[in-house]
Amino acid sequence: MLEVGAAAAAAAFLISGRVTVRAAARAIDFDVLLVLFALLITVEILRESGYLDLIVERTVARFSDTRPFAAMMIIVSGALAMLVTNDVALFVVIPFTVLAGRISDFDVEDEIVFQLIATNLLGCLTPLGNPQNLFIYHRAGWSAGRFITAMLPFVAWNACGLLFAVFLLKRSQKIEAARVELPPRDRVEAVAGAICFVLVVLEIARVAPAWIAAVAAAIAGGAILRRRIFAVDLSIVPLFFFAFIIVEGVRSFDVASLWRGSIYLVSILLSQLISNVPATVLLTPFAEPHWRELLYGVSAGGCGTIIASLANLLAWRIYVRESNRDRAFFWRLTAINFAFLAWAGLGGWWLLRHLA
């Protein structure tokens, strides 16, 4: 539905003459589209290999108490999101956490919410952490090192908040080692996925062109996933394609004065209404040179309402499907998400004011 709306908006700009075909062709960043395609196929190959599940299972099995377990799973969730996007991280960690709760008979609802927040607020450290990061990274023209350096204080602030919340909201309980039936592992798939992922990282580091990663991912995906490649959700690619045209169209309006000096606040509020990826697209024409404000704003803005980030919707659906628990979990998720919206929002505001 979001893609249809973006296509309609892009078409309106083209038909109205606000954006010419030549200007649209110049505006579209094909490197972003290619590396995003490569990343989506790559993470699906890595998921199919079974090794991501093994890493999480081995991590969970080391703990016998809920608090250190919760803290470690937050770290695992954030670290996975930094490497393979927040959506993929949730697909891996939530089912394991639900299973650990079944075996050990402890309430995992808060832990699921903390994992979601970790993928949003810790995973945003890298350009690969979520789609809006990748979009801003290419538009800003930053190096990967500069991007990580800019995000590090914000991520550190939110890591402190998450660890504090674990000790505040979760009482300590014993937990049994979670013995789970892992999916079969395939070394060929793991190696192919790792090679494709390295090529994506090399593109992010501006060492190799995006087309190499895209071609490698397409070949590996066709050979390994076969018909399953058509089931991979690639909708974000056409969304970004249309987004570049929309950004060019929005640039033609003189509306920057409406939020000049308020990119951070506007990005948080707009994310609550239309989610942080579309908010990023709409604000990008007016963000330069305030890329850090936009990054902090849409990252913090991923918390709050259920639609503030697509990861929020995804986590809710995965948990309800895996646990068969009452859907009142929605309200628990929303309450904690808004608490972290306040924490991340205030922290980001302070950092932007006091750090050069």
Side-chain angles (χ1 to χ4, degrees):
M1 195 65 179
L2 191 59
E3 297 77 26
V4 174
F13 280 123
L14 289 168
I15 293 170
S16 67
R18 281 279 176 182
V19 179
T20 65
V21 174
R22 181 173 295 180
R26 288 197 305 265
I28 297 169
D29 190 332
F30 288 99
D31 283 346
V32 173
L33 302 179
L34 289 172
V35 78
L36 193 55
F37 167 82
L39 180 62
L40 292 169
I41 298 297
T42 296
V43 295
E44 188 63 26
I45 294 171
L46 289 171
R47 281 185 59 205
E48 287 287 326
S49 75
Y51 279 90
L52 289 179
D53 300 84
L54 177 65
I55 292 170
V56 175
E57 189 272 341
R58 292 286 172 85
T59 302
V60 172
R62 292 178 179 272
F63 294 90
S64 58
D65 187 88
T66 54
R67 275 182 174 167
F69 166 79
M72 178 53 68
M73 288 305 295
I74 285 172
I75 294 171
V76 169
S77 301
L80 275 178
M82 292 174 195
L83 297 175
V84 295
T85 74
N86 48 6
D87 294 351
V88 174
L90 292 171
F91 271 117
V92 174
V93 298
I94 290 180
F96 274 103
T97 306
V98 170
L99 185 54
R102 287 176 188 162
I103 293 174
S104 306
D105 193 29
F106 74 94
D107 192 350
V108 298
E109 285 195 354
D110 287 351
E111 172 61 16
I112 298 295
V113 180
F114 293 153
Q115 289 172 6
L116 161 64
I117 293 170
T119 63
N120 282 331
L121 296 182
L122 304 188
C124 65
L125 178 66
T126 71
L128 298 176
N130 49 52
Q132 67 268 19
N133 276 17
L134 193 60
F135 187 84
I136 295 173
Y137 172 74
H138 275 265
R139 300 298 283 188
W142 286 1
S143 67
R146 182 180 178 184
F147 188 100
I148 292 171
T149 300
M151 295 302 296
L152 188 58
F154 180 78
V155 170
W157 168 262
N158 290 304
C160 292
L162 278 163
L163 293 177
F164 176 73
V166 166
F167 285 90
L168 179 68
L169 296 179
K170 293 192 73 67
R171 63 186 180 89
S172 183
Q173 292 176 259
K174 291 295 181 183
I175 178 175
E176 300 174 15
R179 297 183 179 275
V180 298
E181 184 177 343
L182 295 173
R185 293 183 293 282
D186 189 307
R187 289 186 179 180
V188 173
E189 292 181 1
V191 171
I195 291 172
C196 292
F197 184 74
V198 169
L199 291 174
V200 169
V201 172
L202 289 176
E203 194 283 336
I204 296 298
R206 319 238 188 243
V207 174
W211 69 265
I212 294 179
V215 169
I219 293 172
I224 293 170
L225 301 176
R226 297 177 184 173
R227 290 187 178 181
R228 287 172 293 168
I229 196 171
F230 298 108
V232 179
D233 185 2
L234 298 173
S235 59
I236 194 71
V237 177
L239 176 62
F240 271 29
F241 176 88
F242 298 126
F244 287 120
I245 300 174
I246 293 170
V247 166
E248 191 66 20
V250 172
R251 199 190 302 274
S252 67
F253 292 96
D254 185 21
V255 297
S257 59
L258 295 177
W259 48 61
R260 183 172 286 119
S262 304
I263 288 289
Y264 178 67
L265 178 60
V266 171
S267 60
I268 290 176
L269 296 177
L270 199 57
S271 295
Q272 303 308 300
L273 301 175
I274 62 174
S275 90
N276 50 11
V277 172
T280 300
V281 171
L282 289 176
L283 294 175
T284 292
F286 318 106
E288 192 173 3
H290 307 291
W291 297 114
R292 197 157 150 220
E293 286 88 335
L294 180 59
L295 276 167
Y296 282 19
V298 293
S299 296
C303 298
T305 65
I306 194 69
I307 64 169
S309 168
L310 294 180
N312 293 346
L313 278 169
L314 185 62
W316 174 52
R317 289 172 179 170
I318 294 173
Y319 177 71
V320 170
R321 182 192 67 202
E322 294 287 336
S323 66
N324 295 316
R325 295 284 295 271
D326 189 275
R327 289 176 181 256
F329 168 70
F330 169 86
W331 299 109
R332 184 68 174 172
L333 182 154
T334 301
I336 299 177
N337 235 349
F338 266 103
F340 272 92
L341 173 61
W343 175 270
L346 290 173
W349 172 81
W350 188 91
L351 291 169
L352 289 171
R353 284 177 60 91
H354 293 87
L355 296 181

